[in-house]
PDB file of all heavy atoms in Angstrom:
ATOM      1  N   ALA A 248     -12.146  -7.787  -4.599  1.00 98.00           N
ATOM      2  CA  ALA A 248     -11.691  -8.401  -5.850  1.00 98.00           C
ATOM      3  C   ALA A 248     -10.451  -7.637  -6.283  1.00 98.00           C
ATOM      4  O   ALA A 248     -10.385  -6.407  -6.146  1.00 98.00           O
ATOM      5  CB  ALA A 248     -12.777  -8.314  -6.918  1.00 98.00           C
ATOM      6  N   PHE A 249      -9.446  -8.364  -6.796  1.00 98.00           N
ATOM      7  CA  PHE A 249      -8.200  -7.696  -7.195  1.00 98.00           C
ATOM      8  C   PHE A 249      -7.645  -8.328  -8.462  1.00 98.00           C
ATOM      9  O   PHE A 249      -8.093  -9.395  -8.898  1.00 98.00           O
ATOM     10  CB  PHE A 249      -7.170  -7.755  -6.056  1.00 98.00           C
ATOM     11  CG  PHE A 249      -6.632  -9.134  -5.748  1.00 98.00           C
ATOM     12  CD1 PHE A 249      -5.371  -9.528  -6.180  1.00 98.00           C
ATOM     13  CD2 PHE A 249      -7.389 -10.042  -5.009  1.00 98.00           C
ATOM     14  CE1 PHE A 249      -4.874 -10.791  -5.886  1.00 98.00           C
ATOM     15  CE2 PHE A 249      -6.898 -11.305  -4.703  1.00 98.00           C
ATOM     16  CZ  PHE A 249      -5.637 -11.686  -5.144  1.00 98.00           C
ATOM     17  N   CYS A 250      -6.666  -7.626  -9.058  1.00 98.00           N
ATOM     18  CA  CYS A 250      -6.100  -8.075 -10.321  1.00 98.00           C
ATOM     19  C   CYS A 250      -4.585  -7.918 -10.296  1.00 98.00           C
ATOM     20  O   CYS A 250      -4.006  -7.436  -9.322  1.00 98.00           O
ATOM     21  CB  CYS A 250      -6.699  -7.275 -11.478  1.00 98.00           C
ATOM     22  SG  CYS A 250      -6.323  -5.510 -11.380  1.00 98.00           S
ATOM     23  N   ASP A 251      -3.951  -8.289 -11.395  1.00 98.00           N
ATOM     24  CA  ASP A 251      -2.515  -8.083 -11.560  1.00 98.00           C
ATOM     25  C   ASP A 251      -2.305  -6.659 -12.096  1.00 98.00           C
ATOM     26  O   ASP A 251      -3.267  -5.952 -12.423  1.00 98.00           O
ATOM     27  CB  ASP A 251      -1.947  -9.133 -12.512  1.00 98.00           C
ATOM     28  CG  ASP A 251      -0.440  -9.328 -12.348  1.00 98.00           C
ATOM     29  OD1 ASP A 251       0.162  -8.654 -11.500  1.00 98.00           O
ATOM     30  OD2 ASP A 251       0.129 -10.152 -13.085  1.00 98.00           O
ATOM     31  N   GLN A 252      -1.039  -6.232 -12.209  1.00 98.00           N
ATOM     32  CA  GLN A 252      -0.770  -4.856 -12.632  1.00 98.00           C
ATOM     33  C   GLN A 252       0.486  -4.771 -13.504  1.00 98.00           C
ATOM     34  O   GLN A 252       1.379  -5.619 -13.423  1.00 98.00           O
ATOM     35  CB  GLN A 252      -0.614  -3.948 -11.400  1.00 98.00           C
ATOM     36  CG  GLN A 252       0.439  -4.413 -10.428  1.00 98.00           C
ATOM     37  CD  GLN A 252       0.439  -3.673  -9.086  1.00 98.00           C
ATOM     38  OE1 GLN A 252       1.276  -3.957  -8.257  1.00 98.00           O
ATOM     39  NE2 GLN A 252      -0.468  -2.749  -8.865  1.00 98.00           N
ATOM     40  N   TYR A 253       0.501  -3.759 -14.339  1.00 98.00           N
ATOM     41  CA  TYR A 253       1.714  -3.400 -15.084  1.00 98.00           C
ATOM     42  C   TYR A 253       2.540  -2.457 -14.213  1.00 98.00           C
ATOM     43  O   TYR A 253       1.998  -1.717 -13.405  1.00 98.00           O
ATOM     44  CB  TYR A 253       1.374  -2.647 -16.376  1.00 98.00           C
ATOM     45  CG  TYR A 253       0.724  -3.479 -17.448  1.00 98.00           C
ATOM     46  CD1 TYR A 253      -0.646  -3.377 -17.695  1.00 98.00           C
ATOM     47  CD2 TYR A 253       1.475  -4.341 -18.253  1.00 98.00           C
ATOM     48  CE1 TYR A 253      -1.259  -4.122 -18.694  1.00 98.00           C
ATOM     49  CE2 TYR A 253       0.872  -5.091 -19.253  1.00 98.00           C
ATOM     50  CZ  TYR A 253      -0.493  -4.977 -19.469  1.00 98.00           C
ATOM     51  OH  TYR A 253      -1.084  -5.718 -20.452  1.00 98.00           O
ATOM     52  N   ILE A 254       3.848  -2.465 -14.418  1.00 97.00           N
ATOM     53  CA  ILE A 254       4.717  -1.458 -13.816  1.00 97.00           C
ATOM     54  C   ILE A 254       5.097  -0.483 -14.925  1.00 97.00           C
ATOM     55  O   ILE A 254       5.525  -0.907 -16.009  1.00 97.00           O
ATOM     56  CB  ILE A 254       5.997  -2.091 -13.217  1.00 97.00           C
ATOM     57  CG1 ILE A 254       5.634  -3.154 -12.162  1.00 97.00           C
ATOM     58  CG2 ILE A 254       6.896  -1.013 -12.609  1.00 97.00           C
ATOM     59  CD1 ILE A 254       4.892  -2.643 -10.958  1.00 97.00           C
ATOM     60  N   ILE A 255       4.910   0.808 -14.682  1.00 97.00           N
ATOM     61  CA  ILE A 255       5.278   1.821 -15.679  1.00 97.00           C
ATOM     62  C   ILE A 255       6.335   2.751 -15.091  1.00 97.00           C
ATOM     63  O   ILE A 255       6.475   2.852 -13.870  1.00 97.00           O
ATOM     64  CB  ILE A 255       4.049   2.637 -16.156  1.00 97.00           C
ATOM     65  CG1 ILE A 255       3.348   3.338 -14.969  1.00 97.00           C
ATOM     66  CG2 ILE A 255       3.081   1.751 -16.924  1.00 97.00           C
ATOM     67  CD1 ILE A 255       2.233   4.297 -15.386  1.00 97.00           C
ATOM     68  N   ASP A 256       7.066   3.440 -15.961  1.00 95.00           N
ATOM     69  CA  ASP A 256       8.084   4.375 -15.481  1.00 95.00           C
ATOM     70  C   ASP A 256       7.508   5.778 -15.353  1.00 95.00           C
ATOM     71  O   ASP A 256       6.298   5.989 -15.534  1.00 95.00           O
ATOM     72  CB  ASP A 256       9.331   4.339 -16.387  1.00 95.00           C
ATOM     73  CG  ASP A 256       9.046   4.836 -17.807  1.00 95.00           C
ATOM     74  OD1 ASP A 256       7.982   5.487 -18.036  1.00 95.00           O
ATOM     75  OD2 ASP A 256       9.884   4.601 -18.696  1.00 95.00           O
ATOM     76  N   ALA A 257       8.363   6.738 -15.044  1.00 93.00           N
ATOM     77  CA  ALA A 257       7.910   8.122 -14.823  1.00 93.00           C
ATOM     78  C   ALA A 257       7.164   8.676 -16.027  1.00 93.00           C
ATOM     79  O   ALA A 257       6.267   9.510 -15.893  1.00 93.00           O
ATOM     80  CB  ALA A 257       9.121   9.001 -14.500  1.00 93.00           C
ATOM     81  N   ASN A 258       7.508   8.196 -17.237  1.00 94.00           N
ATOM     82  CA  ASN A 258       6.866   8.697 -18.464  1.00 94.00           C
ATOM     83  C   ASN A 258       5.636   7.896 -18.873  1.00 94.00           C
ATOM     84  O   ASN A 258       5.024   8.175 -19.905  1.00 94.00           O
ATOM     85  CB  ASN A 258       7.873   8.690 -19.619  1.00 94.00           C
ATOM     86  CG  ASN A 258       9.086   9.542 -19.296  1.00 94.00           C
ATOM     87  OD1 ASN A 258       8.940  10.656 -18.802  1.00 94.00           O
ATOM     88  ND2 ASN A 258      10.278   9.021 -19.545  1.00 94.00           N
ATOM     89  N   GLY A 259       5.296   6.880 -18.091  1.00 95.00           N
ATOM     90  CA  GLY A 259       4.116   6.078 -18.415  1.00 95.00           C
ATOM     91  C   GLY A 259       4.397   4.879 -19.305  1.00 95.00           C
ATOM     92  O   GLY A 259       3.476   4.165 -19.706  1.00 95.00           O
ATOM     93  N   THR A 260       5.674   4.652 -19.635  1.00 97.00           N
ATOM     94  CA  THR A 260       6.039   3.516 -20.484  1.00 97.00           C
ATOM     95  C   THR A 260       6.066   2.240 -19.653  1.00 97.00           C
ATOM     96  O   THR A 260       6.624   2.223 -18.547  1.00 97.00           O
ATOM     97  CB  THR A 260       7.432   3.738 -21.114  1.00 97.00           C
ATOM     98  OG1 THR A 260       7.417   5.009 -21.776  1.00 97.00           O
ATOM     99  CG2 THR A 260       7.780   2.640 -22.105  1.00 97.00           C
ATOM    100  N   ILE A 261       5.487   1.169 -20.183  1.00 97.00           N
ATOM    101  CA  ILE A 261       5.466  -0.107 -19.453  1.00 97.00           C
ATOM    102  C   ILE A 261       6.875  -0.684 -19.368  1.00 97.00           C
ATOM    103  O   ILE A 261       7.595  -0.765 -20.358  1.00 97.00           O
ATOM    104  CB  ILE A 261       4.516  -1.120 -20.137  1.00 97.00           C
ATOM    105  CG1 ILE A 261       3.058  -0.665 -19.970  1.00 97.00           C
ATOM    106  CG2 ILE A 261       4.697  -2.525 -19.549  1.00 97.00           C
ATOM    107  CD1 ILE A 261       2.040  -1.489 -20.738  1.00 97.00           C
TER     108      ILE A 261
END
Side-chain angles (χ1 to χ4, degrees):
F249 68 103
C250 62
D251 201 0
Q252 55 190 182
Y253 290 104
I254 302 297
I255 58 173
D256 65 16
N258 302 315
T260 306
I261 291 173

